[in-house]
Amino acid sequence: MRYFVRAVKYFIYFSLIFALIILVLVLLGLAGQDQGGILRDGWKSVGQIAFLFGAVAAFYPRLGFTTRKVETGEGDVRGKIVEVMESRGYRIETEDGGTITFRLRNKLNAITRMLEDRITFTRTATGYDVEGLTKDVVRVAGNLEYNLGKQEQ
């Protein structure tokens, strides 16, 4: 269900960006006032563009979100995780047993990510599974691995 909701969000996001671009072009006088002057085939082009946005939005959550394993070894590294996440602008949202979820403190950054700013740490036998937006997970996991390696030396 979460995948479907993300796909719908991205479809709406792409459509709004497209509409804003067209609006700016019309207001600047760089495009005509009707669909025929803006798009070559008028409303037919709108349907084709919507189909394209739908296709991209259907696959983007698969590429845009990931889970990465971070090996922490034995011992409690919760404090280091919280420290790393707070240094990156996150706050604890919930904590339940072996799962900790973080959200961005800055609401503007969260809105630019369409409120998909949650990063989840789930405890495994050898470390944590980190789940969230791919670019954020890669940065956070790399930062955490670096800090844990530095701590061992």
Side-chain angles (χ1 to χ4, degrees):
M1 185 63 175
R2 188 175 358 165
Y3 188 93
F4 177 75
V5 170
R6 285 177 177 164
V8 170
K9 277 185 182 181
Y10 279 104
F11 177 78
I12 292 169
Y13 181 72
F14 295 149
S15 299
L16 286 175
I17 296 288
F18 177 73
L20 286 173
I21 290 170
I22 296 298
L23 179 65
V24 168
L25 290 174
V26 168
L27 291 176
L28 293 175
L30 299 172
Q33 296 291 329
D34 62 340
Q35 286 76 21
I38 297 171
L39 303 169
R40 184 177 8 177
D41 293 331
W43 285 107
K44 183 178 177 186
S45 293
V46 172
Q48 293 168 345
I49 291 168
F51 178 77
L52 175 70
F53 288 168
V56 171
F59 289 105
Y60 188 77
R62 171 93 47 217
L63 303 173
F65 295 87
T66 191
T67 300
R68 184 168 170 182
K69 294 184 183 309
V70 176
E71 303 297 326
T72 60
E74 299 297 321
D76 186 26
V77 294
R78 181 200 173 279
K80 189 51 103 171
I81 291 172
V82 171
E83 179 184 324
V84 166
M85 293 303 288
E86 286 181 351
S87 73
R88 299 202 60 82
Y90 287 85
R91 62 173 171 71
I92 293 178
E93 179 186 34
T94 61
E95 191 168 0
D96 181 32
T99 302
I100 309 170
T101 60
F102 294 88
R103 300 294 296 257
L104 282 170
R105 264 190 240 109
N106 186 328
K107 292 301 174 195
L108 182 59
N109 284 343
I111 290 170
T112 61
R113 290 178 168 100
M114 293 185 302
L115 302 176
E116 292 287 351
D117 61 327
R118 181 177 289 119
I119 294 183
T120 305
F121 286 78
T122 305
R123 186 77 171 135
T124 62
T126 59
Y128 283 88
D129 284 342
V130 185
E131 179 186 354
L133 276 170
T134 300
K135 69 177 186 170
D136 293 336
V137 166
V138 168
R139 290 176 184 156
V140 165
N143 195 336
L144 185 60
E145 288 169 346
Y146 173 78
N147 281 303
L148 290 174
K150 197 166 124 178
Q151 182 180 6
E152 291 174 0
Q153 296 177 354

